[in-house]
Amino acid sequence: MFVHIGNNIILRQEDIIGVYNIKAIRNTNEYINIINKLTKEKKLMKKEDSEENTLIITEKNKTIKGYITNISSVTIEKRLKNTSFN
């Protein structure tokens, strides 16, 4: 199944390995390290002029990517639940 995460980006649900509320983790060493690493490797996708609410981490073909979106993590989680067959 597919999930729309904003900014005209649609991800495959099975590729998503984490959805994080940026406001809750912004000042942690883990968040800073992940953002720095993804930025350095040019694997962080974000729209420059939008509010940063959610970090979504994906893995596809053993490649990790990050997406920052203005959509709330709660909304992303709801979309993920609505696309599953559970």
Side-chain angles (χ1 to χ4, degrees):
M1 301 306 291
F2 296 92
V3 179
H4 180 263
I5 64 163
N7 300 327
N8 294 320
I9 299 172
I10 298 173
L11 301 174
R12 288 180 359 154
Q13 182 175 354
E14 56 268 21
D15 294 341
I16 297 173
I17 58 175
V19 177
Y20 306 94
N21 178 337
I22 292 176
K23 292 174 184 171
I25 64 170
R26 182 180 306 266
N27 296 320
T28 65
N29 287 333
E30 293 85 356
Y31 174 77
I32 294 167
N33 291 337
I34 289 169
I35 294 302
N36 288 339
K37 181 176 179 171
L38 291 171
T39 300
K40 181 179 175 183
E41 295 174 357
K42 297 183 178 176
K43 294 182 179 171
L44 181 65
M45 316 310 166
K46 68 178 184 173
K47 189 173 179 183
E48 294 300 323
D49 61 343
S50 68
E51 185 177 0
E52 297 180 355
N53 287 325
T54 303
L55 169 64
I56 301 167
I57 303 292
T58 65
E59 181 179 17
K60 183 176 182 180
N61 301 325
K62 298 184 181 180
T63 300
I64 303 287
K65 288 187 180 177
Y67 297 84
I68 293 181
T69 180
N70 62 341
I71 307 294
S72 77
S73 57
V74 173
T75 300
I76 298 295
E77 289 290 342
K78 286 179 184 177
R79 291 178 183 181
L80 287 167
K81 288 179 183 175
N82 286 339
T83 60
S84 67
F85 293 109
N86 297 331

